[in-house]
Amino acid sequence: MLSSAQLARDLRGALAAGDLSIAFQGQYDLDPAASDVPSAGSPVVLEALCRWAHPVLGAVPPDVFIPLAEQGDFLDQVDAYVFSHAAARVAQWRNEGYEVGLAVNASPAHFSSGYAEVVIAGLDELSLDPRVVTVEITEAPSPQLRPPMLAAIESLRAVGVTISVDDFAVGDTTVAMLESLPIDEVKIDRSLTQRADAAAEEAIAAVVETSANHGWRVVAEGIETVEDLERSVSRGCRRGQGFLWGVPLGADAMGDLLRQRN
């Protein structure tokens, strides 16, 4: 087994060589009137997910290599790489007539005006409408929202980019904390989506009610069964994401899916 230090060096090398790949997972509008899986529908947003195939180890999971990049202080470069490549592909699909949006992840550890500038410049270069792009920030309690991070959020929102709080319920962010944030969307983590107990119902109801008051969109993550889907619809989530619609796909396979569904 390679050491963490060697893995980090290999990851840097893969990043520099352009050997990281992008997989796309669809997000789907949830029809309150629907009683089955909208399998014939087309995704409305594609979330870009970074993938790394190590020459010796094979596929290295993101929960292994993302912390390496963060500890090595180059996660910002990984995020910029993912945005650049994913945005170019989505711009191409949109030019071909497929009306899909793009969602990308950004770590709060380095979220700053520099990242916002990279995103805005990339959108301008590709002539990609900022209103179809969502930046998902991993759940962070309010004390972590430093002034540079807030400034970056405001810069992105000013041009039309959607700001989402990802993985809500993983950390200790409360609904009250969400109300202080300049956001447009909340993604409910699978740890709540897949539960049917009263506590989960109450927690999601609070998010949905607060979101309705502020005009936020609510996305249910981790929808893997028809029961997960039915619960999410009945709870008031109007967009969903998960393996029920299929696993994340490489760019070529996602392009085939878009052609089949349109």
Side-chain angles (χ1 to χ4, degrees):
M1 183 65 181
L2 299 178
S3 68
S4 294
Q6 183 60 57
L7 269 180
R9 287 193 290 271
D10 292 347
L11 179 58
R12 280 186 181 274
L15 176 63
D19 289 337
L20 300 179
S21 61
I22 310 296
F24 294 92
Q25 185 173 31
Q27 295 179 10
Y28 293 79
D29 282 336
L30 303 184
D31 182 357
S35 59
D36 58 0
V37 182
S39 57
S42 184
V44 292
V45 169
L46 302 177
E47 180 178 358
L49 305 168
C50 190
R51 296 291 184 258
W52 180 30
H54 190 277
V56 175
L57 301 177
V60 180
D63 60 1
V64 172
F65 71 78
I66 293 298
L68 290 175
E70 187 164 9
Q71 293 160 15
D73 200 28
F74 62 98
L75 183 54
D76 57 337
Q77 298 173 45
V78 174
D79 283 350
Y81 176 99
V82 172
F83 168 75
S84 175
H85 287 72
R89 179 64 72 160
V90 167
Q92 176 184 333
W93 284 326
R94 289 184 64 82
N95 288 337
E96 293 171 0
Y98 305 114
E99 296 185 358
V100 291
L102 169 66
V104 293
N105 296 289
S107 167
H110 66 76
F111 197 92
S112 67
S113 295
Y115 176 76
E117 290 168 2
V118 167
V119 171
I120 293 170
L123 295 175
D124 185 60
E125 181 179 350
L126 293 166
S127 297
L128 184 59
D129 187 347
R131 293 172 296 179
V132 305
V133 175
T134 299
V135 173
E136 300 181 1
I137 305 172
T138 304
E139 180 188 344
S142 294
Q144 295 184 21
L145 292 174
R146 310 173 312 279
M149 184 176 176
L150 290 171
I153 290 174
E154 294 292 6
S155 294
L156 290 170
R157 294 185 81 223
V159 299
V161 172
T162 296
I163 300 297
S164 175
V165 172
D166 196 11
D167 299 332
F168 179 79
V170 169
D172 56 2
T173 298
T174 65
V175 173
M177 288 178 178
L178 289 178
E179 292 190 276
S180 68
L181 308 180
I183 62 173
D184 308 285
E185 177 184 277
V186 181
K187 296 186 75 178
I188 298 175
D189 186 70
R190 67 183 62 243
S191 60
L192 279 181
T193 298
Q194 296 176 356
R195 286 168 49 190
D197 57 277
E201 291 286 347
E202 183 178 346
I204 293 176
V207 173
V208 170
E209 180 180 358
T210 302
S211 297
N213 291 338
H214 292 276
W216 304 334
R217 180 169 54 224
V218 180
V219 182
E221 298 183 280
I223 295 179
E224 297 183 0
T225 67
V226 172
E227 290 74 20
D228 292 339
L229 174 63
E230 292 174 343
R231 279 196 303 273
S232 297
V233 172
S234 67
R235 288 165 168 171
C237 302
R238 292 298 173 253
R239 187 167 289 177
Q241 180 176 356
F243 289 170
L244 185 60
W245 290 276
V247 299
L249 300 174
D252 290 344
M254 180 54 74
D256 290 341
L257 184 143
L258 292 175
R259 285 185 284 275
Q260 293 166 8
R261 299 279 177 91
N262 284 270

